[in-house]
Amino acid sequence: MKFLLVFDFDHTIIDENSDTWIVKCAPDAKLPDEIRNSYQKGRWTEYMGRVFRFLGDSGIREEEMKRTMTMIPFTKGMKNLLEFVGKHKDVFDCIIISDSNAIFIDWILKASNFCQVFNEVFTNPASFDGCGYLTVENFHAHNCAQCPVNLCKRKVLEEFLESPSKQRMKYSQILYIGDGGNDLCPVMCLKKDDVVMPRHGYRLQKMVSQLSQDLVPLEASIVTWSSGIEILAYLELLIK
């Protein structure tokens, strides 16, 4: 049986937030206060829609956005990790579940030649309209009170595992690699043989630690990481 690696994207694979990185394209690399102050909790995708409209109104088009996004830095050691996984696809299935968008992730993975590492990417759909403006939509609808309205990563993971071609019995172990608050919901459904890998010093690690203090520990084992090299070393031991 294979292992399933589930990756977040922002601050996990890449060492930045792709949605805030795109602001480098804006005039003076700044957003107007009325846009910056318009964010409502849980409605980030709607907020980014306003950001993309502003960029379009400012004359920023696809090629400039693509050039900016493909300069985004990968997290330390993450390229080594993805190269390792790519060489061992007989052992690892690999998916991304991200609150970024399909255009940004596709640009970044293609520029670094990592598309083939991932079996599937689950993220908010995006496209350029007839005027050359980038538009983004919610990934799905859900009833989870803990997650943003556009994406419940737990629902995505559970539906992936329940799909006819990806029955859970296919995977000997699931390893979830992430950093953020929206990664807590999916790791709550992991089982005792699985592993949650929160990035050291980031919100997911703090939330997982708080669960233990509140006597609501995860079933899965916890392995923190600071660089992709540490995850790579763990995987090497796993497949020996």
Side-chain angles (χ1 to χ4, degrees):
M1 288 194 294
K2 300 176 83 170
F3 298 95
L4 175 65
L5 305 179
V6 184
F7 283 88
D8 175 43
F9 193 71
D10 292 350
H11 290 297
T12 297
I13 290 177
I14 58 171
D15 204 20
E16 294 283 347
N17 180 321
S18 56
D19 281 338
T20 55
W21 185 267
I22 196 63
V23 176
K24 291 178 180 292
C25 287
D28 299 322
K30 293 179 182 177
L31 296 173
D33 288 344
E34 62 265 26
I35 293 180
R36 286 195 301 108
N37 298 331
S38 70
Y39 169 66
Q40 295 176 293
K41 186 176 180 182
R43 296 186 175 274
W44 181 260
T45 303
E46 294 172 24
Y47 167 76
M48 287 309 302
R50 293 189 288 277
V51 172
F52 296 148
R53 278 196 299 277
F54 170 74
L55 293 177
D57 289 343
S58 301
I60 309 302
R61 294 297 181 261
E62 181 173 349
E63 280 310 307
E64 184 173 351
M65 295 175 80
K66 183 176 182 179
R67 188 165 56 249
T68 299
M69 292 311 300
T70 53
M71 292 170 62
I72 203 163
F74 277 67
T75 299
K76 183 180 179 183
M78 197 56 65
K79 288 186 175 181
N80 305 76
L81 171 61
L82 296 181
E83 287 167 1
F84 173 82
V85 173
K87 292 173 183 173
H88 294 86
K89 289 295 290 176
D90 57 323
V91 182
F92 298 112
D93 277 354
C94 197
I95 65 173
I96 290 172
I97 309 178
S98 168
D99 203 5
S100 179
N101 70 71
I103 293 281
F104 288 176
I105 293 177
D106 186 61
W107 281 344
I108 293 165
L109 293 182
K110 280 182 176 173
S112 53
N113 201 29
F114 285 131
C115 284
Q116 74 285 354
V117 173
F118 297 97
N119 298 74
E120 293 193 54
V121 176
F122 300 96
T123 189
N124 301 301
S127 60
F128 285 90
D129 67 15
C131 298
Y133 284 39
L134 181 59
T135 63
V136 62
E137 302 171 35
N138 289 352
F139 179 75
H140 61 187
H142 64 82
N143 298 313
C144 177
Q146 277 71 51
C147 289
V149 295
N150 63 295
L151 178 66
C152 172
K153 292 187 176 187
R154 177 174 184 156
K155 182 179 181 182
V156 175
L157 179 56
E158 288 179 336
E159 288 180 351
F160 174 81
L161 295 171
E162 290 164 7
S163 63
S165 61
K166 298 278 193 280
Q167 290 299 322
R168 185 183 174 89
M169 58 183 290
K170 179 180 177 183
Y171 299 114
S172 57
Q173 194 175 60
I174 297 170
L175 297 93
Y176 191 104
I177 304 156
D179 74 282
N182 65 353
D183 293 310
L184 183 66
C185 190
V187 304
M188 295 299 290
C189 74
L190 298 181
K191 305 304 181 188
K192 63 180 178 63
D193 292 332
D194 299 329
V195 182
V196 53
M197 306 189 82
R199 188 174 181 182
H200 179 73
Y202 283 71
R203 192 170 178 210
L204 179 61
Q205 187 204 7
K206 295 168 185 175
M207 295 174 84
V208 167
S209 298
Q210 187 62 48
L211 285 177
S212 298
Q213 293 174 30
D214 294 343
L215 303 179
V216 191
L218 294 169
E219 283 192 54
S221 303
I222 301 167
V223 177
T224 60
W225 61 278
S226 295
S227 84
I229 298 298
E230 293 168 317
I231 303 171
L232 194 164
Y234 186 89
L235 297 185
E236 283 181 322
L237 290 173
L238 204 59
I239 65 175
K240 269 189 177 179

